[in-house]
Amino acid sequence: MKKVLFATTALVATAGVAAADVAITGEAEMGIVGGDRYGDETEFWTSVDVFFTMSGETDGGLQFGAKVDLDEADNINGDGSDGVEVFLTGDFGGIYMGDTDGAYDRVLTENYGNPGSIDDSETLHAGYNNGAGLDGDYGGEIMRYEYSISGFRVAGSLELENGDDDYIWALGASYTFDFSGGSADVALAYQEDTGTNAELIGFTAGVTLDGGFTGGIMYQEGDSNNGGVDETFMGISAGYTFDAISIGVNYGIYEEDGSGDENDGFGIAATYDLGGGAEIRAAYANGDVGGAGAGTGNDGDAWSLGVRMSF
């Protein structure tokens, strides 16, 4: 787990409001990257993120707060809210606004068992689906409501287009249940852009075993590019953790309806936990773009090797 630096301050002296907490965490990465993603050249990679999580609770039990990624926090004229999320939660569920997942992305799991890399290079291939769907097409300022009880989660979200009446809406639901030796989850979500009539439906299912294995599948139909081209996606991913080592693999393929064009690719990532919040990370991905406009990611390959530090 992360080593967390806590700065707790009594911020409020107003009647009816409890004291608030401010938690400061951080991440830093250093290493080398290369492959077609980087012009077939080897480059140094460094990255630093600082995260502020502010939270409090009223005397009536209403929880409130905000999360800020200092590396990318901004919001200009409501056009976007990169790195900033504000929330209210309680017995009614939770309301989240800003740089937050839409309901489609929230309930779906696109990469089971992935240990990660310094630059996400295991996902930089033409067959990768990041699960975000149409999120961000209208600037990324999203409002999401969700409610969870006994393993069930339901969510709904809305993203508005500034200066127009168009919007992107989504609904999703998931269920996680335990069994002897592990747990399993299933999720179903729908998303639509009223401006372009683009729509998506997605399904994921996975299993996590106490022995360290995690695996699952993802299926999606619709127009993920908002360009009037329908496609189907199938993906499979899995990971295994033993002692200090974690390994994850993913494969996906997009098929463009009517044309037969395909985008596919695979990625692999491995980490070694050094303890104290530091990990050695390595990853590789390779993909092939078979049709213009279909799928996401990049043609060719990408790789990375480095160290990630969590504070």
Side-chain angles (χ1 to χ4, degrees), residues 157-194:
S157 64
L158 191 66
E159 181 178 355
L160 303 177
E161 182 179 19
N162 288 334
D164 208 332
D165 294 331
D166 297 326
Y167 54 90
I168 297 169
W169 66 275
L171 292 174
S174 65
Y175 178 57
T176 301
F177 58 93
D178 296 326
F179 59 86
S180 178
S183 64
D185 65 87
V186 292
L188 181 67
Y190 176 82
Q191 189 174 41
E192 180 181 354
D193 182 343
T194 64

PDB file of all heavy atoms in Angstrom, residues 157-194:
ATOM      1  N   SER A 157     -24.841   8.863 -15.647  1.00  0.00           N
ATOM      2  CA  SER A 157     -23.980  10.027 -15.825  1.00  0.00           C
ATOM      3  C   SER A 157     -24.467  10.892 -16.967  1.00  0.00           C
ATOM      4  O   SER A 157     -25.218  10.451 -17.842  1.00  0.00           O
ATOM      5  CB  SER A 157     -22.531   9.596 -16.076  1.00  0.00           C
ATOM      6  OG  SER A 157     -22.415   8.882 -17.293  1.00  0.00           O
ATOM      7  N   LEU A 158     -23.994  12.152 -16.958  1.00  0.00           N
ATOM      8  CA  LEU A 158     -24.367  13.132 -17.970  1.00  0.00           C
ATOM      9  C   LEU A 158     -23.167  14.021 -18.259  1.00  0.00           C
ATOM     10  O   LEU A 158     -22.477  14.473 -17.337  1.00  0.00           O
ATOM     11  CB  LEU A 158     -25.534  13.985 -17.464  1.00  0.00           C
ATOM     12  CG  LEU A 158     -26.238  14.890 -18.459  1.00  0.00           C
ATOM     13  CD1 LEU A 158     -26.954  14.062 -19.528  1.00  0.00           C
ATOM     14  CD2 LEU A 158     -27.247  15.788 -17.733  1.00  0.00           C
ATOM     15  N   GLU A 159     -22.913  14.267 -19.562  1.00  0.00           N
ATOM     16  CA  GLU A 159     -21.875  15.199 -19.999  1.00  0.00           C
ATOM     17  C   GLU A 159     -22.510  16.158 -21.005  1.00  0.00           C
ATOM     18  O   GLU A 159     -23.033  15.724 -22.028  1.00  0.00           O
ATOM     19  CB  GLU A 159     -20.708  14.442 -20.635  1.00  0.00           C
ATOM     20  CG  GLU A 159     -19.574  15.345 -21.098  1.00  0.00           C
ATOM     21  CD  GLU A 159     -18.411  14.564 -21.691  1.00  0.00           C
ATOM     22  OE1 GLU A 159     -18.447  13.315 -21.652  1.00  0.00           O
ATOM     23  OE2 GLU A 159     -17.472  15.209 -22.199  1.00  0.00           O
ATOM     24  N   LEU A 160     -22.472  17.460 -20.694  1.00  0.00           N
ATOM     25  CA  LEU A 160     -23.140  18.459 -21.515  1.00  0.00           C
ATOM     26  C   LEU A 160     -22.183  19.102 -22.510  1.00  0.00           C
ATOM     27  O   LEU A 160     -20.988  19.270 -22.216  1.00  0.00           O
ATOM     28  CB  LEU A 160     -23.733  19.555 -20.629  1.00  0.00           C
ATOM     29  CG  LEU A 160     -24.715  19.121 -19.538  1.00  0.00           C
ATOM     30  CD1 LEU A 160     -25.147  20.337 -18.723  1.00  0.00           C
ATOM     31  CD2 LEU A 160     -25.928  18.418 -20.137  1.00  0.00           C
ATOM     32  N   GLU A 161     -22.722  19.478 -23.673  1.00  0.00           N
ATOM     33  CA  GLU A 161     -21.932  20.241 -24.638  1.00  0.00           C
ATOM     34  C   GLU A 161     -22.169  21.717 -24.405  1.00  0.00           C
ATOM     35  O   GLU A 161     -23.309  22.192 -24.446  1.00  0.00           O
ATOM     36  CB  GLU A 161     -22.317  19.877 -26.073  1.00  0.00           C
ATOM     37  CG  GLU A 161     -21.480  20.629 -27.107  1.00  0.00           C
ATOM     38  CD  GLU A 161     -21.823  20.270 -28.528  1.00  0.00           C
ATOM     39  OE1 GLU A 161     -22.923  19.730 -28.746  1.00  0.00           O
ATOM     40  OE2 GLU A 161     -20.994  20.536 -29.410  1.00  0.00           O
ATOM     41  N   ASN A 162     -21.085  22.481 -24.178  1.00  0.00           N
ATOM     42  CA  ASN A 162     -21.227  23.914 -23.946  1.00  0.00           C
ATOM     43  C   ASN A 162     -21.751  24.613 -25.201  1.00  0.00           C
ATOM     44  O   ASN A 162     -21.284  24.374 -26.307  1.00  0.00           O
ATOM     45  CB  ASN A 162     -19.872  24.525 -23.571  1.00  0.00           C
ATOM     46  CG  ASN A 162     -19.453  24.129 -22.169  1.00  0.00           C
ATOM     47  OD1 ASN A 162     -20.284  23.830 -21.330  1.00  0.00           O
ATOM     48  ND2 ASN A 162     -18.156  24.110 -21.929  1.00  0.00           N
ATOM     49  N   GLY A 163     -22.734  25.483 -25.000  1.00  0.00           N
ATOM     50  CA  GLY A 163     -23.268  26.262 -26.103  1.00  0.00           C
ATOM     51  C   GLY A 163     -24.243  25.514 -26.988  1.00  0.00           C
ATOM     52  O   GLY A 163     -24.639  26.006 -28.039  1.00  0.00           O
ATOM     53  N   ASP A 164     -24.660  24.331 -26.584  1.00  0.00           N
ATOM     54  CA  ASP A 164     -25.600  23.549 -27.386  1.00  0.00           C
ATOM     55  C   ASP A 164     -26.471  22.730 -26.448  1.00  0.00           C
ATOM     56  O   ASP A 164     -26.212  22.639 -25.258  1.00  0.00           O
ATOM     57  CB  ASP A 164     -24.845  22.640 -28.350  1.00  0.00           C
ATOM     58  CG  ASP A 164     -25.643  22.341 -29.610  1.00  0.00           C
ATOM     59  OD1 ASP A 164     -26.890  22.360 -29.523  1.00  0.00           O
ATOM     60  OD2 ASP A 164     -25.039  22.065 -30.665  1.00  0.00           O
ATOM     61  N   ASP A 165     -27.497  22.113 -27.008  1.00  0.00           N
ATOM     62  CA  ASP A 165     -28.403  21.310 -26.195  1.00  0.00           C
ATOM     63  C   ASP A 165     -28.045  19.834 -26.212  1.00  0.00           C
ATOM     64  O   ASP A 165     -28.772  19.017 -25.631  1.00  0.00           O
ATOM     65  CB  ASP A 165     -29.850  21.474 -26.695  1.00  0.00           C
ATOM     66  CG  ASP A 165     -30.371  22.891 -26.495  1.00  0.00           C
ATOM     67  OD1 ASP A 165     -29.913  23.545 -25.541  1.00  0.00           O
ATOM     68  OD2 ASP A 165     -31.218  23.326 -27.292  1.00  0.00           O
ATOM     69  N   ASP A 166     -26.965  19.460 -26.899  1.00  0.00           N
ATOM     70  CA  ASP A 166     -26.585  18.056 -26.986  1.00  0.00           C
ATOM     71  C   ASP A 166     -25.907  17.590 -25.700  1.00  0.00           C
ATOM     72  O   ASP A 166     -25.335  18.387 -24.946  1.00  0.00           O
ATOM     73  CB  ASP A 166     -25.640  17.836 -28.173  1.00  0.00           C
ATOM     74  CG  ASP A 166     -26.306  18.152 -29.501  1.00  0.00           C
ATOM     75  OD1 ASP A 166     -27.522  17.898 -29.611  1.00  0.00           O
ATOM     76  OD2 ASP A 166     -25.622  18.651 -30.403  1.00  0.00           O
ATOM     77  N   TYR A 167     -25.961  16.307 -25.470  1.00  0.00           N
ATOM     78  CA  TYR A 167     -25.348  15.741 -24.271  1.00  0.00           C
ATOM     79  C   TYR A 167     -25.062  14.257 -24.482  1.00  0.00           C
ATOM     80  O   TYR A 167     -25.596  13.612 -25.391  1.00  0.00           O
ATOM     81  CB  TYR A 167     -26.252  15.931 -23.049  1.00  0.00           C
ATOM     82  CG  TYR A 167     -27.655  15.406 -23.220  1.00  0.00           C
ATOM     83  CD1 TYR A 167     -27.970  14.082 -22.878  1.00  0.00           C
ATOM     84  CD2 TYR A 167     -28.668  16.213 -23.719  1.00  0.00           C
ATOM     85  CE1 TYR A 167     -29.262  13.596 -23.035  1.00  0.00           C
ATOM     86  CE2 TYR A 167     -29.964  15.724 -23.870  1.00  0.00           C
ATOM     87  CZ  TYR A 167     -30.252  14.418 -23.533  1.00  0.00           C
ATOM     88  OH  TYR A 167     -31.520  13.930 -23.696  1.00  0.00           O
ATOM     89  N   ILE A 168     -24.193  13.726 -23.630  1.00  0.00           N
ATOM     90  CA  ILE A 168     -23.877  12.299 -23.601  1.00  0.00           C
ATOM     91  C   ILE A 168     -24.399  11.749 -22.283  1.00  0.00           C
ATOM     92  O   ILE A 168     -24.079  12.275 -21.213  1.00  0.00           O
ATOM     93  CB  ILE A 168     -22.361  12.060 -23.711  1.00  0.00           C
ATOM     94  CG1 ILE A 168     -21.835  12.563 -25.057  1.00  0.00           C
ATOM     95  CG2 ILE A 168     -22.033  10.575 -23.549  1.00  0.00           C
ATOM     96  CD1 ILE A 168     -20.322  12.601 -25.144  1.00  0.00           C
ATOM     97  N   TRP A 169     -25.215  10.709 -22.344  1.00  0.00           N
ATOM     98  CA  TRP A 169     -25.734  10.115 -21.125  1.00  0.00           C
ATOM     99  C   TRP A 169     -25.392   8.625 -21.098  1.00  0.00           C
ATOM    100  O   TRP A 169     -25.179   7.994 -22.143  1.00  0.00           O
ATOM    101  CB  TRP A 169     -27.238  10.319 -20.990  1.00  0.00           C
ATOM    102  CG  TRP A 169     -28.081   9.608 -22.021  1.00  0.00           C
ATOM    103  CD1 TRP A 169     -28.403  10.041 -23.278  1.00  0.00           C
ATOM    104  CD2 TRP A 169     -28.714   8.327 -21.860  1.00  0.00           C
ATOM    105  NE1 TRP A 169     -29.193   9.132 -23.922  1.00  0.00           N
ATOM    106  CE2 TRP A 169     -29.399   8.061 -23.081  1.00  0.00           C
ATOM    107  CE3 TRP A 169     -28.772   7.394 -20.837  1.00  0.00           C
ATOM    108  CZ2 TRP A 169     -30.124   6.882 -23.281  1.00  0.00           C
ATOM    109  CZ3 TRP A 169     -29.494   6.234 -21.037  1.00  0.00           C
ATOM    110  CH2 TRP A 169     -30.167   5.980 -22.238  1.00  0.00           C
ATOM    111  N   ALA A 170     -25.319   8.080 -19.903  1.00  0.00           N
ATOM    112  CA  ALA A 170     -24.959   6.669 -19.742  1.00  0.00           C
ATOM    113  C   ALA A 170     -25.637   6.086 -18.517  1.00  0.00           C
ATOM    114  O   ALA A 170     -25.873   6.785 -17.525  1.00  0.00           O
ATOM    115  CB  ALA A 170     -23.442   6.509 -19.631  1.00  0.00           C
ATOM    116  N   LEU A 171     -25.937   4.802 -18.592  1.00  0.00           N
ATOM    117  CA  LEU A 171     -26.452   4.027 -17.465  1.00  0.00           C
ATOM    118  C   LEU A 171     -25.650   2.732 -17.370  1.00  0.00           C
ATOM    119  O   LEU A 171     -25.287   2.151 -18.396  1.00  0.00           O
ATOM    120  CB  LEU A 171     -27.932   3.691 -17.647  1.00  0.00           C
ATOM    121  CG  LEU A 171     -28.933   4.839 -17.578  1.00  0.00           C
ATOM    122  CD1 LEU A 171     -30.327   4.338 -17.929  1.00  0.00           C
ATOM    123  CD2 LEU A 171     -28.932   5.483 -16.192  1.00  0.00           C
ATOM    124  N   GLY A 172     -25.392   2.280 -16.148  1.00  0.00           N
ATOM    125  CA  GLY A 172     -24.657   1.037 -15.981  1.00  0.00           C
ATOM    126  C   GLY A 172     -24.975   0.371 -14.662  1.00  0.00           C
ATOM    127  O   GLY A 172     -25.444   1.024 -13.711  1.00  0.00           O
ATOM    128  N   ALA A 173     -24.737  -0.924 -14.605  1.00  0.00           N
ATOM    129  CA  ALA A 173     -24.950  -1.688 -13.376  1.00  0.00           C
ATOM    130  C   ALA A 173     -23.925  -2.809 -13.302  1.00  0.00           C
ATOM    131  O   ALA A 173     -23.508  -3.361 -14.334  1.00  0.00           O
ATOM    132  CB  ALA A 173     -26.360  -2.273 -13.326  1.00  0.00           C
ATOM    133  N   SER A 174     -23.510  -3.132 -12.096  1.00  0.00           N
ATOM    134  CA  SER A 174     -22.562  -4.231 -11.898  1.00  0.00           C
ATOM    135  C   SER A 174     -22.936  -5.000 -10.640  1.00  0.00           C
ATOM    136  O   SER A 174     -23.626  -4.489  -9.757  1.00  0.00           O
ATOM    137  CB  SER A 174     -21.129  -3.704 -11.789  1.00  0.00           C
ATOM    138  OG  SER A 174     -20.969  -2.895 -10.630  1.00  0.00           O
ATOM    139  N   TYR A 175     -22.454  -6.231 -10.579  1.00  0.00           N
ATOM    140  CA  TYR A 175     -22.693  -7.068  -9.408  1.00  0.00           C
ATOM    141  C   TYR A 175     -21.441  -7.888  -9.128  1.00  0.00           C
ATOM    142  O   TYR A 175     -20.884  -8.523 -10.036  1.00  0.00           O
ATOM    143  CB  TYR A 175     -23.876  -8.004  -9.633  1.00  0.00           C
ATOM    144  CG  TYR A 175     -24.154  -8.937  -8.467  1.00  0.00           C
ATOM    145  CD1 TYR A 175     -24.395  -8.426  -7.196  1.00  0.00           C
ATOM    146  CD2 TYR A 175     -24.170 -10.319  -8.645  1.00  0.00           C
ATOM    147  CE1 TYR A 175     -24.646  -9.265  -6.121  1.00  0.00           C
ATOM    148  CE2 TYR A 175     -24.429 -11.168  -7.574  1.00  0.00           C
ATOM    149  CZ  TYR A 175     -24.665 -10.634  -6.306  1.00  0.00           C
ATOM    150  OH  TYR A 175     -24.903 -11.476  -5.245  1.00  0.00           O
ATOM    151  N   THR A 176     -20.974  -7.845  -7.893  1.00  0.00           N
ATOM    152  CA  THR A 176     -19.813  -8.615  -7.448  1.00  0.00           C
ATOM    153  C   THR A 176     -20.257  -9.558  -6.339  1.00  0.00           C
ATOM    154  O   THR A 176     -20.948  -9.137  -5.401  1.00  0.00           O
ATOM    155  CB  THR A 176     -18.708  -7.689  -6.925  1.00  0.00           C
ATOM    156  OG1 THR A 176     -18.310  -6.781  -7.964  1.00  0.00           O
ATOM    157  CG2 THR A 176     -17.491  -8.496  -6.482  1.00  0.00           C
ATOM    158  N   PHE A 177     -19.881 -10.817  -6.458  1.00  0.00           N
ATOM    159  CA  PHE A 177     -20.275 -11.795  -5.446  1.00  0.00           C
ATOM    160  C   PHE A 177     -19.099 -12.691  -5.101  1.00  0.00           C
ATOM    161  O   PHE A 177     -18.209 -12.947  -5.920  1.00  0.00           O
ATOM    162  CB  PHE A 177     -21.459 -12.635  -5.925  1.00  0.00           C
ATOM    163  CG  PHE A 177     -21.212 -13.393  -7.204  1.00  0.00           C
ATOM    164  CD1 PHE A 177     -20.752 -14.704  -7.189  1.00  0.00           C
ATOM    165  CD2 PHE A 177     -21.423 -12.790  -8.438  1.00  0.00           C
ATOM    166  CE1 PHE A 177     -20.523 -15.404  -8.359  1.00  0.00           C
ATOM    167  CE2 PHE A 177     -21.208 -13.479  -9.622  1.00  0.00           C
ATOM    168  CZ  PHE A 177     -20.752 -14.790  -9.581  1.00  0.00           C
ATOM    169  N   ASP A 178     -19.097 -13.144  -3.860  1.00  0.00           N
ATOM    170  CA  ASP A 178     -18.033 -14.011  -3.351  1.00  0.00           C
ATOM    171  C   ASP A 178     -18.432 -15.470  -3.469  1.00  0.00           C
ATOM    172  O   ASP A 178     -19.616 -15.821  -3.397  1.00  0.00           O
ATOM    173  CB  ASP A 178     -17.732 -13.685  -1.883  1.00  0.00           C
ATOM    174  CG  ASP A 178     -17.198 -12.278  -1.694  1.00  0.00           C
ATOM    175  OD1 ASP A 178     -16.477 -11.795  -2.587  1.00  0.00           O
ATOM    176  OD2 ASP A 178     -17.524 -11.657  -0.660  1.00  0.00           O
ATOM    177  N   PHE A 179     -17.444 -16.320  -3.648  1.00  0.00           N
ATOM    178  CA  PHE A 179     -17.636 -17.761  -3.584  1.00  0.00           C
ATOM    179  C   PHE A 179     -16.415 -18.369  -2.912  1.00  0.00           C
ATOM    180  O   PHE A 179     -15.417 -17.671  -2.664  1.00  0.00           O
ATOM    181  CB  PHE A 179     -17.851 -18.355  -4.988  1.00  0.00           C
ATOM    182  CG  PHE A 179     -16.718 -18.103  -5.939  1.00  0.00           C
ATOM    183  CD1 PHE A 179     -15.610 -18.940  -5.992  1.00  0.00           C
ATOM    184  CD2 PHE A 179     -16.758 -17.015  -6.807  1.00  0.00           C
ATOM    185  CE1 PHE A 179     -14.570 -18.713  -6.861  1.00  0.00           C
ATOM    186  CE2 PHE A 179     -15.724 -16.781  -7.691  1.00  0.00           C
ATOM    187  CZ  PHE A 179     -14.622 -17.628  -7.723  1.00  0.00           C
ATOM    188  N   SER A 180     -16.475 -19.635  -2.609  1.00  0.00           N
ATOM    189  CA  SER A 180     -15.372 -20.293  -1.943  1.00  0.00           C
ATOM    190  C   SER A 180     -14.121 -20.246  -2.826  1.00  0.00           C
ATOM    191  O   SER A 180     -14.100 -20.817  -3.906  1.00  0.00           O
ATOM    192  CB  SER A 180     -15.731 -21.752  -1.637  1.00  0.00           C
ATOM    193  OG  SER A 180     -14.640 -22.422  -1.032  1.00  0.00           O
ATOM    194  N   GLY A 181     -13.110 -19.508  -2.368  1.00  0.00           N
ATOM    195  CA  GLY A 181     -11.867 -19.422  -3.130  1.00  0.00           C
ATOM    196  C   GLY A 181     -11.706 -18.172  -3.950  1.00  0.00           C
ATOM    197  O   GLY A 181     -10.687 -17.999  -4.632  1.00  0.00           O
ATOM    198  N   GLY A 182     -12.686 -17.236  -3.906  1.00  0.00           N
ATOM    199  CA  GLY A 182     -12.515 -16.013  -4.679  1.00  0.00           C
ATOM    200  C   GLY A 182     -13.791 -15.224  -4.835  1.00  0.00           C
ATOM    201  O   GLY A 182     -14.723 -15.334  -4.043  1.00  0.00           O
ATOM    202  N   SER A 183     -13.851 -14.424  -5.886  1.00  0.00           N
ATOM    203  CA  SER A 183     -15.019 -13.596  -6.183  1.00  0.00           C
ATOM    204  C   SER A 183     -15.166 -13.452  -7.689  1.00  0.00           C
ATOM    205  O   SER A 183     -14.235 -13.726  -8.458  1.00  0.00           O
ATOM    206  CB  SER A 183     -14.881 -12.211  -5.533  1.00  0.00           C
ATOM    207  OG  SER A 183     -13.779 -11.506  -6.079  1.00  0.00           O
ATOM    208  N   ALA A 184     -16.354 -13.025  -8.121  1.00  0.00           N
ATOM    209  CA  ALA A 184     -16.637 -12.818  -9.544  1.00  0.00           C
ATOM    210  C   ALA A 184     -17.454 -11.545  -9.704  1.00  0.00           C
ATOM    211  O   ALA A 184     -18.122 -11.099  -8.774  1.00  0.00           O
ATOM    212  CB  ALA A 184     -17.380 -14.015 -10.126  1.00  0.00           C
ATOM    213  N   ASP A 185     -17.396 -10.967 -10.908  1.00  0.00           N
ATOM    214  CA  ASP A 185     -18.159  -9.752 -11.167  1.00  0.00           C
ATOM    215  C   ASP A 185     -18.689  -9.752 -12.588  1.00  0.00           C
ATOM    216  O   ASP A 185     -18.079 -10.316 -13.497  1.00  0.00           O
ATOM    217  CB  ASP A 185     -17.305  -8.504 -10.934  1.00  0.00           C
ATOM    218  CG  ASP A 185     -16.146  -8.399 -11.913  1.00  0.00           C
ATOM    219  OD1 ASP A 185     -16.330  -7.840 -13.012  1.00  0.00           O
ATOM    220  OD2 ASP A 185     -15.040  -8.874 -11.568  1.00  0.00           O
ATOM    221  N   VAL A 186     -19.837  -9.125 -12.781  1.00  0.00           N
ATOM    222  CA  VAL A 186     -20.421  -8.930 -14.101  1.00  0.00           C
ATOM    223  C   VAL A 186     -20.919  -7.496 -14.167  1.00  0.00           C
ATOM    224  O   VAL A 186     -21.304  -6.905 -13.150  1.00  0.00           O
ATOM    225  CB  VAL A 186     -21.583  -9.909 -14.386  1.00  0.00           C
ATOM    226  CG1 VAL A 186     -21.075 -11.330 -14.499  1.00  0.00           C
ATOM    227  CG2 VAL A 186     -22.659  -9.806 -13.307  1.00  0.00           C
ATOM    228  N   ALA A 187     -20.911  -6.895 -15.377  1.00  0.00           N
ATOM    229  CA  ALA A 187     -21.358  -5.520 -15.532  1.00  0.00           C
ATOM    230  C   ALA A 187     -21.935  -5.314 -16.920  1.00  0.00           C
ATOM    231  O   ALA A 187     -21.488  -5.931 -17.899  1.00  0.00           O
ATOM    232  CB  ALA A 187     -20.204  -4.551 -15.296  1.00  0.00           C
ATOM    233  N   LEU A 188     -22.927  -4.428 -17.005  1.00  0.00           N
ATOM    234  CA  LEU A 188     -23.569  -4.091 -18.272  1.00  0.00           C
ATOM    235  C   LEU A 188     -23.794  -2.578 -18.289  1.00  0.00           C
ATOM    236  O   LEU A 188     -24.224  -2.000 -17.291  1.00  0.00           O
ATOM    237  CB  LEU A 188     -24.911  -4.814 -18.406  1.00  0.00           C
ATOM    238  CG  LEU A 188     -25.703  -4.579 -19.697  1.00  0.00           C
ATOM    239  CD1 LEU A 188     -24.969  -5.173 -20.892  1.00  0.00           C
ATOM    240  CD2 LEU A 188     -27.097  -5.195 -19.570  1.00  0.00           C
ATOM    241  N   ALA A 189     -23.497  -1.921 -19.447  1.00  0.00           N
ATOM    242  CA  ALA A 189     -23.625  -0.469 -19.520  1.00  0.00           C
ATOM    243  C   ALA A 189     -24.054  -0.036 -20.916  1.00  0.00           C
ATOM    244  O   ALA A 189     -23.790  -0.719 -21.911  1.00  0.00           O
ATOM    245  CB  ALA A 189     -22.305   0.201 -19.152  1.00  0.00           C
ATOM    246  N   TYR A 190     -24.709   1.141 -20.955  1.00  0.00           N
ATOM    247  CA  TYR A 190     -25.159   1.725 -22.216  1.00  0.00           C
ATOM    248  C   TYR A 190     -24.817   3.212 -22.212  1.00  0.00           C
ATOM    249  O   TYR A 190     -24.914   3.888 -21.180  1.00  0.00           O
ATOM    250  CB  TYR A 190     -26.667   1.562 -22.393  1.00  0.00           C
ATOM    251  CG  TYR A 190     -27.220   2.227 -23.639  1.00  0.00           C
ATOM    252  CD1 TYR A 190     -27.143   1.601 -24.876  1.00  0.00           C
ATOM    253  CD2 TYR A 190     -27.796   3.501 -23.574  1.00  0.00           C
ATOM    254  CE1 TYR A 190     -27.641   2.223 -26.028  1.00  0.00           C
ATOM    255  CE2 TYR A 190     -28.288   4.118 -24.704  1.00  0.00           C
ATOM    256  CZ  TYR A 190     -28.208   3.475 -25.932  1.00  0.00           C
ATOM    257  OH  TYR A 190     -28.682   4.093 -27.067  1.00  0.00           O
ATOM    258  N   GLN A 191     -24.414   3.739 -23.388  1.00  0.00           N
ATOM    259  CA  GLN A 191     -24.052   5.146 -23.495  1.00  0.00           C
ATOM    260  C   GLN A 191     -24.502   5.690 -24.849  1.00  0.00           C
ATOM    261  O   GLN A 191     -24.435   4.996 -25.868  1.00  0.00           O
ATOM    262  CB  GLN A 191     -22.538   5.314 -23.344  1.00  0.00           C
ATOM    263  CG  GLN A 191     -22.068   6.753 -23.220  1.00  0.00           C
ATOM    264  CD  GLN A 191     -20.576   6.833 -22.917  1.00  0.00           C
ATOM    265  OE1 GLN A 191     -19.783   6.094 -23.466  1.00  0.00           O
ATOM    266  NE2 GLN A 191     -20.206   7.734 -22.017  1.00  0.00           N
ATOM    267  N   GLU A 192     -24.968   6.966 -24.865  1.00  0.00           N
ATOM    268  CA  GLU A 192     -25.464   7.561 -26.106  1.00  0.00           C
ATOM    269  C   GLU A 192     -25.104   9.037 -26.179  1.00  0.00           C
ATOM    270  O   GLU A 192     -25.138   9.759 -25.171  1.00  0.00           O
ATOM    271  CB  GLU A 192     -26.982   7.416 -26.203  1.00  0.00           C
ATOM    272  CG  GLU A 192     -27.574   8.008 -27.469  1.00  0.00           C
ATOM    273  CD  GLU A 192     -29.087   7.886 -27.530  1.00  0.00           C
ATOM    274  OE1 GLU A 192     -29.664   7.237 -26.626  1.00  0.00           O
ATOM    275  OE2 GLU A 192     -29.691   8.446 -28.459  1.00  0.00           O
ATOM    276  N   ASP A 193     -24.741   9.498 -27.381  1.00  0.00           N
ATOM    277  CA  ASP A 193     -24.500  10.903 -27.678  1.00  0.00           C
ATOM    278  C   ASP A 193     -25.694  11.413 -28.475  1.00  0.00           C
ATOM    279  O   ASP A 193     -25.920  10.986 -29.618  1.00  0.00           O
ATOM    280  CB  ASP A 193     -23.205  11.041 -28.484  1.00  0.00           C
ATOM    281  CG  ASP A 193     -22.852  12.491 -28.797  1.00  0.00           C
ATOM    282  OD1 ASP A 193     -23.726  13.367 -28.692  1.00  0.00           O
ATOM    283  OD2 ASP A 193     -21.685  12.735 -29.161  1.00  0.00           O
ATOM    284  N   THR A 194     -26.471  12.322 -27.898  1.00  0.00           N
ATOM    285  CA  THR A 194     -27.680  12.794 -28.578  1.00  0.00           C
ATOM    286  C   THR A 194     -27.357  13.679 -29.778  1.00  0.00           C
ATOM    287  O   THR A 194     -28.199  13.864 -30.657  1.00  0.00           O
ATOM    288  CB  THR A 194     -28.582  13.582 -27.612  1.00  0.00           C
ATOM    289  OG1 THR A 194     -27.893  14.766 -27.172  1.00  0.00           O
ATOM    290  CG2 THR A 194     -28.964  12.734 -26.412  1.00  0.00           C
TER     291      THR A 194
END
